[in-house]
Amino acid sequence: IIEQGRIGDLIKVDGIGEYLAEKILNRFEATKDLAPAYAFFSPLGVSPKLIAKLCTYYKDIDNAIKVFKKNPYILADDIDGVGFIKADEIAKRYKFDINSPYRIKAGINYLLKDQASSNGSTWMKPSTFKDKIVKLLGIEFNTILPTFQELIKSGDLHVDKEKGKIGLQYYYDLEKKIADKLLLLQSIP
């Protein structure tokens, strides 16, 4: 009935009037092209609204699925309303490797951003970082270490060995710019 757009048959159903029937048919028409995306993402617990966002953001269904299969954690960076925890839940349902560098990198970024937003501190002591990242990811630190070192090498993480601090390079640069501006303002007579 819905596929053929037979509004007359649809309004024969108890409780469905012409307005609701039109709404149902319009929604079906708007989403029928997303059927392959629904077939792939729905079993992973992805809502229809999020499926539509993915297909819009990544321009088409095939690309959305391809990007997700390569790195489901990219959703936390690309899609509003999806953070690490949500991306991790979806990735685990997909049976994505829990030791993947993509997961580890996303977990590290989440942990340090969460520290900044919830505690107001952009830094962590190495021992605190180690304990929290192991707990968050549920894997051994030896598995995390190569990705952690790669993030330092790539300039994404800042480690101040002298002060015993770990943080995102972005926050370090931002704080440095603010401090420099404050010093400049202070020097003006």
Side-chain angles (χ1 to χ4, degrees), residues 5 16 18 27 34 42 44 51 77 81 86 105 109-110 121 125 127 143 152 165-166 182 186-187:
I16 296 181
E18 192 172 333
R27 177 160 297 187
L34 296 178
S42 290
L44 304 176
I51 292 169
D77 292 330
K86 179 75 172 169
K105 179 181 178 184
N109 282 322
Y110 166 76
S121 176
K125 292 180 181 178
S127 60
T143 306
I152 294 169
K165 295 178 174 184
I166 297 171
L182 289 172
Q186 189 178 30
S187 69

mmCIF file of all heavy atoms in Angstrom, residues 5 16 18 27 34 42 44 51 77 81 86 105 109-110 121 125 127 143 152 165-166 182 186-187:
data_model
loop_
_atom_site.group_PDB
_atom_site.id
_atom_site.type_symbol
_atom_site.label_atom_id
_atom_site.label_comp_id
_atom_site.label_asym_id
_atom_site.label_seq_id
_atom_site.Cartn_x
_atom_site.Cartn_y
_atom_site.Cartn_z
ATOM 1 N N GLY A 5 1.919 4.015 -2.992
ATOM 2 C CA GLY A 5 1.375 5.345 -2.734
ATOM 3 C C GLY A 5 -0.142 5.390 -2.774
ATOM 4 O O GLY A 5 -0.724 6.412 -3.135
ATOM 5 N N ILE A 16 -6.201 6.219 10.757
ATOM 6 C CA ILE A 16 -5.374 6.966 9.804
ATOM 7 C C ILE A 16 -6.290 7.777 8.904
ATOM 8 O O ILE A 16 -7.099 7.238 8.148
ATOM 9 C CB ILE A 16 -4.486 6.035 8.951
ATOM 10 C CG1 ILE A 16 -3.490 5.297 9.847
ATOM 11 C CG2 ILE A 16 -3.760 6.836 7.862
ATOM 12 C CD1 ILE A 16 -2.552 4.372 9.109
ATOM 13 N N GLU A 18 -6.621 11.306 6.156
ATOM 14 C CA GLU A 18 -5.924 11.745 4.949
ATOM 15 C C GLU A 18 -4.604 12.457 5.282
ATOM 16 O O GLU A 18 -3.577 12.222 4.645
ATOM 17 C CB GLU A 18 -6.828 12.674 4.132
ATOM 18 C CG GLU A 18 -6.284 12.935 2.744
ATOM 19 C CD GLU A 18 -7.260 13.689 1.861
ATOM 20 O OE1 GLU A 18 -8.482 13.584 2.070
ATOM 21 O OE2 GLU A 18 -6.779 14.395 0.970
ATOM 22 N N ARG A 27 7.021 10.586 4.123
ATOM 23 C CA ARG A 27 8.195 10.108 4.865
ATOM 24 C C ARG A 27 8.801 8.892 4.172
ATOM 25 O O ARG A 27 10.014 8.766 4.065
ATOM 26 C CB ARG A 27 7.840 9.777 6.304
ATOM 27 C CG ARG A 27 9.075 9.216 7.010
ATOM 28 C CD ARG A 27 9.075 9.271 8.453
ATOM 29 N NE ARG A 27 9.039 10.637 8.920
ATOM 30 C CZ ARG A 27 9.174 10.949 10.173
ATOM 31 N NH1 ARG A 27 9.359 10.021 11.062
ATOM 32 N NH2 ARG A 27 9.120 12.191 10.567
ATOM 33 N N LEU A 34 17.313 5.421 1.292
ATOM 34 C CA LEU A 34 18.268 5.115 2.361
ATOM 35 C C LEU A 34 18.179 3.655 2.820
ATOM 36 O O LEU A 34 18.853 3.271 3.772
ATOM 37 C CB LEU A 34 18.037 6.037 3.564
ATOM 38 C CG LEU A 34 18.264 7.528 3.333
ATOM 39 C CD1 LEU A 34 17.945 8.309 4.603
ATOM 40 C CD2 LEU A 34 19.684 7.800 2.883
ATOM 41 N N SER A 42 21.104 -0.116 11.035
ATOM 42 C CA SER A 42 20.075 -0.404 12.047
ATOM 43 C C SER A 42 20.447 -1.548 12.982
ATOM 44 O O SER A 42 20.268 -1.430 14.198
ATOM 45 C CB SER A 42 18.719 -0.667 11.385
ATOM 46 O OG SER A 42 18.220 0.524 10.843
ATOM 47 N N LEU A 44 23.166 -2.251 14.094
ATOM 48 C CA LEU A 44 24.225 -1.756 14.979
ATOM 49 C C LEU A 44 23.676 -0.796 16.028
ATOM 50 O O LEU A 44 24.433 -0.232 16.815
ATOM 51 C CB LEU A 44 25.323 -1.068 14.163
ATOM 52 C CG LEU A 44 25.972 -1.915 13.057
ATOM 53 C CD1 LEU A 44 26.961 -1.090 12.261
ATOM 54 C CD2 LEU A 44 26.628 -3.149 13.641
ATOM 55 N N ILE A 51 21.286 7.775 10.920
ATOM 56 C CA ILE A 51 21.570 7.209 9.594
ATOM 57 C C ILE A 51 21.431 8.292 8.526
ATOM 58 O O ILE A 51 22.287 8.426 7.651
ATOM 59 C CB ILE A 51 20.642 6.011 9.296
ATOM 60 C CG1 ILE A 51 20.987 4.838 10.227
ATOM 61 C CG2 ILE A 51 20.764 5.580 7.836
ATOM 62 C CD1 ILE A 51 19.984 3.702 10.209
ATOM 63 N N ASP A 77 34.241 12.640 15.456
ATOM 64 C CA ASP A 77 34.798 13.905 14.971
ATOM 65 C C ASP A 77 33.870 14.599 13.976
ATOM 66 O O ASP A 77 33.764 15.812 13.964
ATOM 67 C CB ASP A 77 36.150 13.671 14.268
ATOM 68 C CG ASP A 77 37.237 13.223 15.221
ATOM 69 O OD1 ASP A 77 37.189 13.600 16.407
ATOM 70 O OD2 ASP A 77 38.134 12.480 14.777
ATOM 71 N N GLY A 81 26.513 15.241 17.808
ATOM 72 C CA GLY A 81 25.699 14.352 18.628
ATOM 73 C C GLY A 81 26.297 12.969 18.811
ATOM 74 O O GLY A 81 25.740 12.141 19.527
ATOM 75 N N LYS A 86 29.407 6.840 22.208
ATOM 76 C CA LYS A 86 28.412 6.364 21.236
ATOM 77 C C LYS A 86 29.102 5.645 20.078
ATOM 78 O O LYS A 86 28.679 4.566 19.658
ATOM 79 C CB LYS A 86 27.571 7.549 20.721
ATOM 80 C CG LYS A 86 26.536 7.178 19.707
ATOM 81 C CD LYS A 86 25.372 6.481 20.358
ATOM 82 C CE LYS A 86 24.243 6.277 19.358
ATOM 83 N NZ LYS A 86 23.226 5.397 19.880
ATOM 84 N N LYS A 105 43.259 6.227 19.568
ATOM 85 C CA LYS A 105 43.394 7.670 19.338
ATOM 86 C C LYS A 105 42.118 8.404 19.751
ATOM 87 O O LYS A 105 42.177 9.424 20.448
ATOM 88 C CB LYS A 105 43.703 7.951 17.872
ATOM 89 C CG LYS A 105 43.839 9.424 17.565
ATOM 90 C CD LYS A 105 44.114 9.683 16.097
ATOM 91 C CE LYS A 105 44.189 11.174 15.848
ATOM 92 N NZ LYS A 105 44.359 11.506 14.452
ATOM 93 N N ASN A 109 41.809 11.194 22.807
ATOM 94 C CA ASN A 109 41.239 12.527 22.571
ATOM 95 C C ASN A 109 40.019 12.773 23.449
ATOM 96 O O ASN A 109 39.871 13.842 24.032
ATOM 97 C CB ASN A 109 40.878 12.710 21.094
ATOM 98 C CG ASN A 109 42.091 12.996 20.247
ATOM 99 O OD1 ASN A 109 42.997 13.701 20.649
ATOM 100 N ND2 ASN A 109 42.117 12.431 19.057
ATOM 101 N N TYR A 110 39.154 11.781 23.530
ATOM 102 C CA TYR A 110 37.955 11.902 24.370
ATOM 103 C C TYR A 110 38.340 12.117 25.829
ATOM 104 O O TYR A 110 37.806 13.011 26.494
ATOM 105 C CB TYR A 110 37.081 10.649 24.232
ATOM 106 C CG TYR A 110 36.025 10.563 25.295
ATOM 107 C CD1 TYR A 110 34.875 11.356 25.235
ATOM 108 C CD2 TYR A 110 36.183 9.730 26.395
ATOM 109 C CE1 TYR A 110 33.910 11.300 26.218
ATOM 110 C CE2 TYR A 110 35.225 9.667 27.391
ATOM 111 C CZ TYR A 110 34.090 10.447 27.305
ATOM 112 O OH TYR A 110 33.150 10.396 28.301
ATOM 113 N N SER A 121 40.687 21.278 33.649
ATOM 114 C CA SER A 121 42.125 21.129 33.528
ATOM 115 C C SER A 121 42.458 20.501 32.182
ATOM 116 O O SER A 121 41.897 19.482 31.805
ATOM 117 C CB SER A 121 42.667 20.234 34.647
ATOM 118 O OG SER A 121 44.051 20.019 34.470
ATOM 119 N N LYS A 125 48.293 14.149 34.958
ATOM 120 C CA LYS A 125 49.548 13.503 35.354
ATOM 121 C C LYS A 125 49.648 12.186 34.601
ATOM 122 O O LYS A 125 48.628 11.528 34.371
ATOM 123 C CB LYS A 125 49.561 13.234 36.856
ATOM 124 C CG LYS A 125 49.618 14.477 37.702
ATOM 125 C CD LYS A 125 49.633 14.106 39.172
ATOM 126 C CE LYS A 125 49.675 15.360 40.022
ATOM 127 N NZ LYS A 125 49.655 15.058 41.443
ATOM 128 N N SER A 127 50.499 9.212 35.478
ATOM 129 C CA SER A 127 49.925 8.052 36.173
ATOM 130 C C SER A 127 48.397 8.075 36.123
ATOM 131 O O SER A 127 47.752 7.039 35.931
ATOM 132 C CB SER A 127 50.409 7.997 37.624
ATOM 133 O OG SER A 127 50.026 9.180 38.319
ATOM 134 N N THR A 143 49.336 -2.061 24.841
ATOM 135 C CA THR A 143 48.636 -2.005 23.557
ATOM 136 C C THR A 143 48.392 -0.548 23.155
ATOM 137 O O THR A 143 48.398 -0.222 21.965
ATOM 138 C CB THR A 143 47.294 -2.762 23.649
ATOM 139 O OG1 THR A 143 47.553 -4.091 24.118
ATOM 140 C CG2 THR A 143 46.583 -2.829 22.319
ATOM 141 N N ILE A 152 52.194 11.701 19.974
ATOM 142 C CA ILE A 152 53.222 12.659 20.411
ATOM 143 C C ILE A 152 54.064 13.062 19.198
ATOM 144 O O ILE A 152 54.290 14.251 18.949
ATOM 145 C CB ILE A 152 54.116 12.055 21.523
ATOM 146 C CG1 ILE A 152 53.302 11.813 22.789
ATOM 147 C CG2 ILE A 152 55.306 12.983 21.810
ATOM 148 C CD1 ILE A 152 54.018 10.984 23.836
ATOM 149 N N LYS A 165 53.230 16.359 32.864
ATOM 150 C CA LYS A 165 51.893 16.637 32.359
ATOM 151 C C LYS A 165 51.712 16.076 30.959
ATOM 152 O O LYS A 165 52.635 16.086 30.156
ATOM 153 C CB LYS A 165 51.643 18.146 32.293
ATOM 154 C CG LYS A 165 51.634 18.857 33.616
ATOM 155 C CD LYS A 165 51.426 20.333 33.376
ATOM 156 C CE LYS A 165 51.252 21.099 34.669
ATOM 157 N NZ LYS A 165 50.968 22.514 34.403
ATOM 158 N N ILE A 166 50.487 15.631 30.700
ATOM 159 C CA ILE A 166 50.090 15.175 29.366
ATOM 160 C C ILE A 166 48.834 15.933 28.987
ATOM 161 O O ILE A 166 47.911 16.054 29.794
ATOM 162 C CB ILE A 166 49.789 13.655 29.359
ATOM 163 C CG1 ILE A 166 51.038 12.861 29.712
ATOM 164 C CG2 ILE A 166 49.217 13.213 28.007
ATOM 165 C CD1 ILE A 166 50.781 11.389 29.933
ATOM 166 N N LEU A 182 48.547 37.943 27.434
ATOM 167 C CA LEU A 182 48.485 38.542 28.779
ATOM 168 C C LEU A 182 49.793 39.239 29.123
ATOM 169 O O LEU A 182 49.791 40.336 29.695
ATOM 170 C CB LEU A 182 48.133 37.495 29.828
ATOM 171 C CG LEU A 182 46.688 36.984 29.796
ATOM 172 C CD1 LEU A 182 46.527 35.815 30.762
ATOM 173 C CD2 LEU A 182 45.705 38.086 30.124
ATOM 174 N N GLN A 186 50.272 43.156 29.815
ATOM 175 C CA GLN A 186 50.902 43.563 31.081
ATOM 176 C C GLN A 186 52.072 44.518 30.840
ATOM 177 O O GLN A 186 52.354 45.395 31.633
ATOM 178 C CB GLN A 186 51.381 42.317 31.833
ATOM 179 C CG GLN A 186 51.843 42.583 33.228
ATOM 180 C CD GLN A 186 52.271 41.294 33.932
ATOM 181 O OE1 GLN A 186 52.727 40.365 33.296
ATOM 182 N NE2 GLN A 186 52.118 41.280 35.229
ATOM 183 N N SER A 187 52.744 44.372 29.704
ATOM 184 C CA SER A 187 53.910 45.207 29.403
ATOM 185 C C SER A 187 53.546 46.583 28.863
ATOM 186 O O SER A 187 54.398 47.462 28.783
ATOM 187 C CB SER A 187 54.822 44.488 28.410
ATOM 188 O OG SER A 187 54.207 44.406 27.149
#
